[in-house]
Amino acid sequence: MAKRKVQHATEPVANGAPAKKAKAEQPAPKPKTASSSTSQQQHVSTSPSTSTTTTTIQIIAGSYDRILHGITCAIEPPSSSSKTSTPKPAVSFADTFLFTAHTSAIRCLALSPPSAPVPGQSQKVMLATGATDERVNVYNLSAHPPSASSRSAAALLSSAGAPRPILENSSNRELGTLLHHASTVTQLAFPTRGKLLSSSEDSTVAVTRTRDWSLLSSIKSPVPKLVGRPSGDTAAHGAGPRGVNSFAVHPSLKLMISVGKGERCMRLWNLVTGKKAGVLNFGREVLDAIGEGRVGMGEGRRVVWGGAGEEGEEFAVAFDRDVVVFGMDSRPRCRVMGGERTKVHEIEYVKLGQGEEESLLAVSTEDGRVLFFSTRKGDLTEEEEEKDGKKAVLPNAKLVAQLGGKEAGVTSRIKDFKFLAVDGQDGERFWYVVTGSSDGKLRVWKLEAKDLAAAEGKKQVGTLLGAYDTQNRITCVEAFVMIARPEGLEDSEDEFEDEVEAEDAAESGDESD
């Protein structure tokens, strides 16, 4: 049967190779190794879990060293015979894949929602990787933990002297490469399973249809005028800084916000028409308040949408050393970091419950912490006076708690993190938190919602369950809680082929996504 390949798409797609098995290599990775992995977005990771079953997390990490890591983390429930009051779960790591995915540093990852469950077939997740080599690689990966036979083989490999168990999955496939951009790929996102959005330093956001990997449209951001002399790595020699740093799609899928290099503004886009909907300047007073007016470029480096609280929907824009929260009226509500003058790397809203009204803003920092801030109006605090005698322009968000840092033995910058929400049998929410540091370590934490609710100030929260040393400088992380494998389902070549055809037929009517 025919296999789905990326070269079936139109001209922007190239270098599509036949679907290949994912290989797991424990020795030094080689560029020609064909493999793939799977991961999901945060909303995919809310699968129920019980305290009596093993939870398996699939972790994917990109690195400056071009290496793509795939690791499974099996979290077994604590033994009932444990004598401690709060027994710690047993955690084990295994390599799913390890190979050179790009010819230069990997910058971003994205995971799609899983495919719809079909009796007798496994569910799949699409993974996209972007790098400074202008390419977007795409993979189709299994959403289920490795089969019993794979685990037995892994145990044999481990006992034979391999540093770690190796859990290959025959359903993981490499689909090919997308060549929609002419510069570094800066961000990837699957707003739905049928669409992939990718931004680049070529000042475009490409919209790709995943059914046939064809380029549907390319949203072009204006190139900013050159002002002054560019410095550092903000631009090529003799050129000005340009490109889309980050974008965020509204949950309605009709609106998108983007921030770019060399621009002290954010741009609104109508995704229905693909046209510009407006330009919102950050303002000199706001930039001066967060220190960007004096020493920074004043450009937004990351933007994310938040939940709908009592004051309405909001979104956050991260700068070099601070974060500003805006309302849907585009007016700044508060700044986040306040006195925490450390570099910001990643931001994300964390929902405290099933509803959209309660959430905290999580921020990872240069000094190895993930800080949690409340942006509710009642939790904002005004600074009495600035150094020059003027009243503060923006109130400060309330620092609720922190995870990691020196107190937990983490001092290296946290480049990226993922929160995997789980609702236990008792109805209490908790998260498995995966953090990736530039020292090469992936850490898995457990964080209880009740701990965040009762936290105040710099209270340390979260329990470190385990760590995995990739021995590469991590740049980006994705993860998801794997879906329990249906009884009697085993991976096979024929099964993969049947699933691809069934999925293509089901997605043929997804043009309205």
Side-chain angles (χ1 to χ4, degrees):
M1 297 182 181
K3 301 182 181 181
R4 182 167 61 180
K5 310 181 185 98
V6 177
Q7 73 252 33
H8 288 176
T10 53
E11 184 179 358
V13 182
N15 197 31
K20 305 172 184 177
K21 285 187 181 181
K23 301 288 184 182
E25 298 186 21
Q26 198 61 41
K30 300 179 182 179
K32 294 184 180 180
T33 302
S35 52
S36 89
S37 81
T38 184
S39 250
Q40 287 169 304
Q41 291 174 315
Q42 183 171 338
H43 64 273
V44 180
S45 307
T46 55
S47 303
S49 177
T50 67
S51 59
T52 58
T53 60
T54 299
T55 300
T56 303
I57 299 174
Q58 174 70 67
I59 304 172
I60 298 97
S63 68
Y64 284 112
D65 310 287
R66 307 171 295 161
I67 307 301
L68 186 67
H69 290 267
I71 304 104
T72 56
C73 174
I75 304 174
E76 299 180 4
S79 173
S80 58
S81 61
S82 176
K83 298 180 180 180
T84 59
S85 57
T86 56
K88 190 175 179 180
V91 176
S92 60
F93 295 93
D95 290 324
T96 307
F97 53 86
L98 170 64
F99 69 108
T100 302
H102 290 267
T103 58
S104 56
I106 300 174
R107 289 285 301 272
C108 50
L109 305 171
L111 298 166
S112 75
S115 58
V118 177
Q121 294 183 1
S122 61
Q123 292 176 259
K124 301 292 181 181
V125 176
M126 287 179 285
L127 166 68
T129 67
T132 57
D133 62 3
E134 308 173 4
R135 297 168 178 264
V136 176
N137 291 343
V138 288
Y139 307 89
N140 209 359
L141 310 168
S142 174
H144 306 297
S147 61
S149 59
S150 297
R151 294 186 182 278
S152 299
L156 290 175
L157 285 171
S158 180
S159 62
R164 299 183 185 90
I166 299 174
L167 291 177
E168 292 184 285
N169 195 321
S170 60
S171 291
N172 292 349
R173 290 294 188 281
E174 178 181 4
L175 298 180
T177 298
L178 305 178
L179 301 177
H180 295 334
H181 295 289
S183 188
T184 297
V185 180
T186 57
Q187 186 175 338
L188 297 164
F190 285 93
T192 67
R193 186 169 171 82
K195 301 291 186 297
L196 169 64
L197 271 64
S198 57
S199 63
S200 169
E201 290 184 1
D202 63 4
S203 297
T204 64
V205 177
V207 182
T208 304
R209 181 171 58 197
T210 62
R211 179 165 57 87
D212 54 6
W213 301 105
S214 61
L215 179 65
L216 296 182
S217 63
S218 183
I219 300 173
K220 297 182 179 180
S221 179
V223 178
K225 294 181 180 179
L226 180 60
V227 178
R229 182 180 179 181
S231 61
D233 60 351
T234 57
H237 179 69
R242 57 175 292 181
V244 179
N245 282 333
S246 177
F247 63 88
V249 178
H250 189 267
S252 68
L253 306 181
K254 297 180 179 180
L255 178 67
M256 180 179 74
I257 296 179
S258 69
V259 291
K261 292 183 180 295
E263 294 187 315
R264 297 190 170 194
C265 66
M266 47 191 169
R267 298 183 180 274
L268 301 180
W269 303 91
N270 186 331
L271 291 182
V272 177
T273 62
K275 303 295 183 181
K276 181 179 68 177
V279 178
L280 307 171
N281 294 319
F282 294 130
R284 182 182 297 273
E285 289 186 346
V286 172
L287 293 177
D288 286 341
I290 62 176
E292 286 287 325
R294 296 185 296 273
V295 297
M297 293 290 294
E299 64 186 37
R301 300 179 184 271
R302 185 84 166 90
V303 58
V304 295
W305 284 102
E310 55 185 8
E311 291 85 28
E313 286 186 289
E314 65 183 37
F315 59 92
V317 178
F319 297 85
D320 187 45
R321 295 181 180 271
D322 213 329
V323 182
V324 178
V325 176
F326 295 83
M328 286 300 290
D329 57 1
S330 302
R331 294 182 179 179
R333 289 182 177 177
C334 64
R335 59 183 296 195
V336 170
M337 296 302 286
E340 300 287 340
R341 301 304 296 173
T342 181
K343 188 173 182 179
V344 172
H345 286 285
E346 186 62 45
I347 60 175
E348 195 64 61
Y349 278 93
V350 181
K351 298 176 183 178
L352 298 182
Q354 296 288 356
E356 300 284 340
E357 65 282 351
E358 294 184 66
S359 62
L360 296 176
L361 181 61
V363 182
S364 69
T365 66
E366 180 80 6
D367 54 8
R369 296 179 295 166
V370 177
L371 304 176
F372 299 89
F373 294 90
S374 172
T375 60
R376 294 172 52 188
K377 186 175 182 180
D379 290 334
L380 304 183
T381 58
E382 296 277 358
E383 291 183 358
E384 293 183 1
E385 287 187 349
E386 293 275 333
K387 291 182 179 180
D388 57 3
K390 295 182 180 180
K391 191 175 181 180
V393 176
L394 293 174
N396 291 319
K398 178 183 177 181
L399 177 59
V400 173
Q402 73 175 35
L403 179 147
K406 291 182 179 180
E407 296 85 348
V410 183
T411 57
S412 181
R413 68 176 68 95
I414 295 180
K415 291 289 293 183
D416 201 358
F417 61 87
K418 284 294 172 289
F419 280 77
L420 310 178
V422 179
D423 294 313
Q425 286 183 319
D426 55 0
E428 292 291 332
R429 168 161 288 198
F430 66 91
W431 297 271
Y432 291 118
V433 186
V434 180
T435 61
S437 302
S438 57
D439 62 359
K441 290 186 178 180
L442 292 166
R443 295 177 175 88
V444 179
W445 312 71
K446 184 176 181 180
L447 177 60
E448 302 281 353
K450 59 184 180 182
D451 292 338
L452 279 181
E456 186 72 28
K458 293 187 178 181
K459 178 183 176 181
Q460 189 73 24
V461 296
T463 302
L464 180 61
L465 300 182
Y468 175 98
D469 190 358
T470 65
Q471 300 180 0
N472 294 114
R473 298 169 296 166
I474 296 174
T475 56
C476 46
V477 172
E478 275 290 356
F480 68 96
V481 176
M482 303 191 85
I483 302 170
R485 177 180 292 273
E487 291 187 10
L489 179 65
E490 293 294 335
D491 296 323
S492 69
E493 293 281 347
D494 294 337
E495 175 204 4
F496 175 78
E497 302 298 338
D498 293 340
E499 288 174 28
V500 168
E501 289 196 347
E503 196 170 300
D504 281 340
E507 291 180 357
S508 61
D510 278 355
E511 300 298 325
S512 59
D513 284 353

